Amino acid sequence: MAQSDVLLKLKGVKTYFFTDEGTVHAVDGLDFQVRRGETLGIVGESGCGKSVTSMSILRLLGKTGKVIEGEIMFDGENLLDLSEEEMRKIRGNRISMIFQQPTTCLNPVFRIGEQIIEALQIHQGLSGEEGNKRTIELLTLVGLPDPVRRMRSFPHEISGGQAQRVMIAMALACNPELLIADEPTTALDVTIQAQILDLMRELREKVNTAIILITHDLGVVAEMAENVMVMYAGRAVEYAPVHALFEAPKHPYTQGLIASTPVLGNVRDELETIPGQVPSLLNPPAGCRFASRCAHRMDQCTQEEPPLIKLEGDRLVRCWLY
Amino acid sequence: MTVSNSTSEHLLEVRNLKKYFPIKGGLMRRTVAQVKALDGVSFSIKKGETLGLVGESGCGKTTTGRTVLRLIPPSAGEVLFEGQDVLKASAGRMRALRRDMQIVFQDPYASLNPRIPVGHSIAEGLKIHNIGTPRERLDQVAQVLERVGLNSGHMRRFPHEFSGGQRQRIGIARALVMQPKLIVCDEPVSALDVSIQAQVLNLLNDLQKDLGLTYLFIAHNLSVVEHISNRVGVMYLGRMVELASRDQLFSKPMHPYTKALMSAIPLPDPTIKRDRIILEGDVPSPVNPPSGCRFHPRCWLAQDICKHDDPAFEEKEPGHFVACHFAQG
């Protein structure tokens, strides 16, 4: 892997939220990298820190959250060192994002076309006329039927699937090098989800954008990602190429996650479960964070947190079993 | 539509159920159009069985669950519970019936009153039905909490002190305390994480085995429905398009919509390469459903006849009902 090949590299990133109840260790020491054109899937359950990771990259944490440690290197530059002004030039331009709820991300009082043209004018300095033309191109690219007429529609006049197409068009407007998709199909029906995933695959080939795909759905990851990072309670617990991960998950949490998912066409009498629940991130336990729910728990696990251990085949796992 | 055979073994029979929601408009608030949320749905559930209902948003699956319980009045049709018409029952009779028919909702956050301890929420049904003394009710709440995997000390806590999975267990306890025969489970696990979802699905399965419960299990997730159901009905735009035993439906789906739905689900196995059927467009509006077969504008098998003739819901193979002119296994 040549160094210049790496587009994004996180090193020891810690993002904490300072609340009235205490400090939430939402992301607690995260390292990973994304190569140009790569699709990295991040999976995990609610509260594992997968969305906070994306918000940390874009520096959209709001008033209570802060990246207190670490580096986020994007194309050789630490995003955490940039001024707000410089950051604004990157957001929506070189790194863009699509969210779970497409309908709440569009401004309800502006026409769809106007919202895309705005991004083009700000970042690429296109005139109204040029912006218009490019918007029609983009809406055609994402397969929105009748784009010329749809440009004049308001967000409430289109369906959820169409709104997600518009969001994707907007995200791709400035040919970003990195696209962060945070649960892009979770709010959509399965037949519409299939359309959107199909579209994302097609676009990936056409524009060669690197994608960070954040999802809780193992099926979506299996279909879309090349490499997968599994997160648990603010930490990466496993990192592997997608085939290797599903063929032989190494971390007990990943194993539990896969075994507890009902799979179409494979009926089992009883689903495997992971007993207990995710620990509070206000006061994360010492040692391995999964220890309290783990069937392989040893004494060592509750005392000392395992490091990410390197296994063959480009895999990493945070577990004392290896 | 012939769905019923021998009535006695059926706990619930639904015949030609319709629910139209009026859209009011204009100066006099006249009804200008109707949302045909349910447009002639028939099915039956045997004692001790789980019938799964699947379909996408707006297909009418939730409306089905609610009209069956008479939480919303239907526009037409019959609902027979142990042979008695629920829709025609008097207020007093209805009250007795409600003990036997309970519901578990999707959102465990929204379905519990945040201002009262969960023990009170669970006991509320018992109180309304004048069952037992306050002390006996307390005992029953403690028992039912333990039955769903919590402990009796939890009854004094408030909803915000519980996690999502625990709240769904409380929702199940609230239904269970009435000792119902039928529980309508309306997307009971969709708001939960997979590891917690598995815990709740296993709990529902155990309760059914131990208490002989009957479930109408409504969900949009086909894998979950396949896991828990004995028979499965697939809905599209206010209609039942296919109904069969789980094994028949999943190994040999006949309706093109069912096939598309199954092929659209991403499987957690990157080695599987499938021929995916990608449907074009969105589900049409139920205000103005397409003529003929409602699925024809998105169907790749559609012929002229599909545009004009609404296909009947017929038994193509024993126990396998399909509404399609070109149904094939």
Side-chain angles (χ1 to χ4, degrees), chain A residues 223-267:
Chain A
E223 262 191 27
M224 301 291 295
E226 292 160 62
N227 296 302
V228 184
M229 178 166 78
V230 182
M231 288 185 72
Y232 184 78
R235 294 279 206 166
V237 295
E238 184 161 6
Y239 179 92
V242 69
H243 279 83
L245 185 86
F246 284 95
E247 200 181 289
K250 297 289 187 192
H251 197 283
Y253 175 64
T254 318
Q255 291 167 355
L257 205 57
I258 292 176
S260 59
T261 308
V263 179
L264 198 68
N266 177 13
V267 180

Side-chain angles (χ1 to χ4, degrees), chain A residues 2-187:
Chain A
Q3 193 55 41
S4 61
D5 210 25
V6 176
L7 179 66
L8 179 79
K9 185 166 181 146
L10 273 73
K11 257 199 246 165
V13 172
K14 291 191 178 180
T15 305
Y16 289 1
F17 287 86
F18 301 92
T19 66
D20 292 342
E21 283 108 88
T23 306
V24 180
H25 303 227
V27 171
D28 213 0
L30 194 60
D31 302 84
F32 71 91
Q33 61 179 33
V34 184
R35 281 173 287 118
R36 290 179 195 278
E38 175 188 347
T39 302
L40 172 73
I42 302 184
V43 270
E45 299 178 290
S46 336
C48 71
K50 52 192 196 303
S51 291
V52 174
T53 303
S54 63
M55 293 307 185
S56 305
I57 296 169
L58 284 170
R59 286 183 37 198
L60 292 171
L61 289 166
K63 282 197 182 109
T64 51
K66 196 168 188 309
V67 181
I68 58 150
E69 238 181 88
E71 278 179 9
I72 301 176
M73 302 299 292
F74 176 70
D75 203 15
E77 234 178 339
N78 188 352
L79 294 181
L80 300 174
D81 291 341
L82 299 185
S83 67
E84 184 50 37
E85 184 73 13
E86 289 166 315
M87 198 59 214
R88 218 177 293 143
K89 287 191 180 127
I90 288 183
R91 274 187 218 123
N93 190 20
R94 297 182 64 194
I95 305 179
S96 59
M97 180 148 184
I98 46 182
F99 299 88
Q100 179 170 352
Q101 278 293 347
T103 38
T104 57
C105 295
L106 291 166
N107 190 330
V109 299
F110 288 100
R111 294 177 202 277
I112 286 157
E114 290 165 0
Q115 302 189 43
I116 301 178
I117 292 170
E118 188 190 9
L120 290 166
Q121 284 173 340
I122 292 172
H123 291 301
Q124 313 224 303
L126 296 190
S127 68
E129 183 69 18
E130 290 165 329
N132 226 4
K133 235 178 88 189
R134 176 85 179 121
T135 301
I136 294 172
E137 272 171 34
L138 283 164
L139 292 178
T140 312
L141 182 73
V142 297
L144 198 71
D146 201 359
V148 180
R149 198 167 61 87
R150 274 288 167 239
M151 267 181 76
R152 301 191 43 76
S153 298
F154 286 98
H156 72 268
E157 296 174 291
I158 61 176
S159 68
Q162 287 177 342
Q164 197 56 291
R165 284 176 195 269
V166 171
M167 286 303 297
I168 294 173
M170 204 182 282
L172 294 177
C174 306
N175 295 317
E177 289 146 85
L178 178 65
L179 175 68
I180 301 176
D182 189 356
E183 303 270 9
T185 56
T186 307

Side-chain angles (χ1 to χ4, degrees), chain B:
Chain B
M1 280 182 218
T2 48
V3 177
S4 56
N5 11 53
S6 72
T7 316
S8 58
E9 58 171 326
H10 291 130
L11 184 69
L12 184 78
E13 272 193 82
V14 173
R15 291 187 193 145
N16 208 11
L17 195 61
K18 292 185 181 175
K19 175 67 194 176
Y20 297 167
F21 292 101
I23 300 172
K24 307 259 189 200
L27 193 59
M28 306 298 284
R29 307 294 295 160
R30 277 172 305 149
T31 301
V32 290
Q34 282 174 323
V35 177
K36 293 176 179 157
L38 266 189
D39 206 7
V41 166
S42 306
F43 60 88
S44 57
I45 312 180
K46 292 196 202 86
K47 285 196 178 87
E49 178 184 58
T50 300
L51 177 74
L53 274 189
V54 278
E56 299 179 286
S57 342
C59 72
K61 54 192 191 301
T62 292
T63 307
T64 305
R66 306 230 162 143
T67 36
V68 162
L69 297 182
R70 223 172 117 182
L71 295 177
I72 42 178
S75 307
E78 279 180 7
V79 175
L80 304 178
F81 182 79
E82 295 187 311
Q84 304 180 48
D85 197 333
V86 175
L87 306 179
K88 294 202 183 87
S90 64
R93 180 69 209 131
M94 198 57 223
R95 185 181 248 232
L97 274 171
R98 288 233 154 94
R99 270 191 75 172
D100 292 336
M101 307 163 80
Q102 290 289 319
I103 184 164
V104 174
F105 294 99
Q106 168 170 6
D107 191 345
Y109 299 85
S111 53
L112 290 168
N113 186 336
R115 296 177 56 178
I116 61 174
V118 298
H120 287 214
S121 290
I122 297 172
E124 202 164 17
L126 295 172
K127 224 158 125 186
I128 288 168
H129 287 276
N130 282 322
I131 300 167
T133 61
R135 173 137 295 279
E136 285 164 356
R137 289 201 284 264
L138 220 59
D139 286 346
Q140 286 199 41
V141 171
Q143 268 175 30
V144 82
L145 276 172
E146 269 160 38
R147 190 68 201 76
V148 298
L150 298 169
N151 62 57
S152 51
H154 283 132
M155 69 170 84
R156 276 180 293 275
R157 296 203 195 159
F158 288 86
H160 73 264
E161 297 176 69
F162 295 94
S163 67
Q166 288 176 322
R167 275 183 240 197
Q168 198 54 290
R169 287 175 193 268
I170 294 165
I172 294 169
R174 192 199 51 73
L176 216 54
V177 79
M178 302 307 294
Q179 301 178 330
K181 293 175 180 153
L182 174 76
I183 300 183
V184 174
C185 303
D186 190 359
E187 301 266 15
V189 296
S190 340
L192 307 177
D193 276 321
V194 271
S195 69
I196 307 299
Q197 165 180 300
Q199 293 173 3
V200 173
L201 287 175
N202 285 345
L203 172 66
L204 286 170
N205 254 338
D206 292 345
L207 292 173
Q208 181 168 48
K209 264 183 227 150
D210 298 348
L211 307 172
L213 294 170
T214 305
Y215 294 140
L216 175 59
F217 191 96
I218 299 166
H220 69 283
N221 185 328
L222 268 170
S223 320
V224 167
V225 166
E226 183 189 27
H227 176 78
I228 200 149
S229 308
N230 303 108
R231 284 190 306 135
V232 179
V234 181
M235 294 186 68
Y236 185 78
L237 213 54
R239 290 278 176 87
M240 191 81 87
V241 295
E242 188 159 4
L243 176 67
S245 74
R246 168 178 73 188
D247 296 343
Q248 280 173 317
L249 190 86
F250 286 92
S251 62
K252 214 177 143 196
M254 289 174 124
H255 198 283
Y257 177 65
T258 313
K259 290 181 189 174
L261 208 54
M262 285 184 192
S263 88
I265 293 172
L267 296 178
D269 183 349
T271 56
I272 297 179
K273 292 276 168 277
R274 289 178 299 172
D275 283 330
R276 168 153 298 163
I277 304 162
I278 295 201
L279 293 179
E280 286 179 16
D282 290 308
V283 180
S285 158
V287 177
N288 219 337
S291 62
C293 171
R294 295 177 173 207
F295 185 57
H296 87 258
R298 301 177 80 197
C299 183
W300 68 99
L301 296 174
Q303 306 274 335
D304 259 357
I305 179 174
C306 305
K307 291 181 196 153
H308 315 299
D309 281 6
D310 197 358
F313 191 58
E314 289 172 334
E315 192 165 8
K316 302 269 170 162
E317 276 175 17
H320 197 149
F321 296 83
V322 192
C324 176
H325 293 298
F326 300 99
Q328 45 181 275

Side-chain angles (χ1 to χ4, degrees), chain A residues 296-309:
Chain A
H296 305 283
R297 186 176 56 233
M298 304 172 282
D299 285 347
Q300 193 181 11
C301 301
T302 47
Q303 288 151 16
E304 199 184 342
E305 175 156 50
L308 273 174
I309 294 160

